[in-house]
Amino acid sequence: MKRHPALLELSREHHQALKMARQARLAAASGEPERQASLAAELRVWSADALERHFAEEESTLFPRLARTEHAALAARALDEHRRLRALIAELATPDATTLARFAELMEAHVRFEERELFECLQSDLAAAQPASG
């Protein structure tokens, strides 16, 4: 299904998040502390800028809309995952393979969840809210 215009940019940003998760997974598996520290620093910069903007957009516009529907549990899950991702990124101030791997696993699962479940519910809600053209 084609994405609703309100979700297009967020979906594009999810692609970048999956790339960052993959890089974190590879760095964690490398066994190279320098590579892990470098990637952790990159993740922290990316998080402070792009990821926080992405989270703020979802948390201020999409999740409240979803919370008013029968799918409120999806919004609650997404908020919890945002909280957990923020905590993992904060832990990366002292980078280690385990934290990078946990970040990679949660970020990938979170993006898949949002794309496959949360955005699908929002897509229907957004489409229904649009006035019929004619």
Side-chain angles (χ1 to χ4, degrees):
M1 177 189 280
K2 188 175 176 184
R3 279 282 174 244
H4 187 278
L7 301 174
L8 277 176
E9 188 58 31
L10 292 168
S11 279
R12 287 185 192 111
E13 291 167 0
H14 282 160
H15 179 71
Q16 180 61 33
L18 289 174
K19 287 172 45 177
M20 296 302 278
R22 182 177 185 276
Q23 290 177 10
R25 185 181 318 286
L26 293 172
S30 75
E32 301 170 20
E34 276 187 23
R35 182 176 176 186
Q36 293 166 359
S38 176
L39 197 278
E42 185 179 344
L43 281 172
R44 294 183 76 222
V45 168
W46 171 72
S47 170
D49 182 34
L51 187 61
E52 271 307 315
R53 269 196 325 271
H54 178 92
F55 282 178
E57 173 74 15
E58 290 179 335
E59 292 169 2
S60 67
T61 61
L62 301 181
F63 299 169
R65 179 182 202 112
L66 196 61
R68 293 187 299 268
T69 72
E70 68 274 14
H71 304 291
L74 297 179
R77 174 181 167 182
L79 280 169
D80 180 62
E81 289 178 1
H82 283 191
R83 180 193 56 75
R84 291 170 43 213
L85 285 162
R86 286 178 173 117
L88 285 168
I89 290 164
E91 286 180 40
L92 289 173
T94 308
D96 66 82
T98 301
T99 305
L100 281 168
R102 288 174 43 219
F103 168 83
E105 182 179 335
L106 180 56
M107 179 57 80
E108 184 176 307
H110 176 71
V111 168
R112 303 285 185 219
F113 158 68
E114 283 194 349
E115 286 292 328
R116 294 175 182 165
E117 295 181 54
L118 190 134
F119 277 21
E120 287 301 312
C121 289
L122 280 165
Q123 184 106 342
S124 299
D125 185 55
L126 289 165
Q130 283 183 328
S133 58

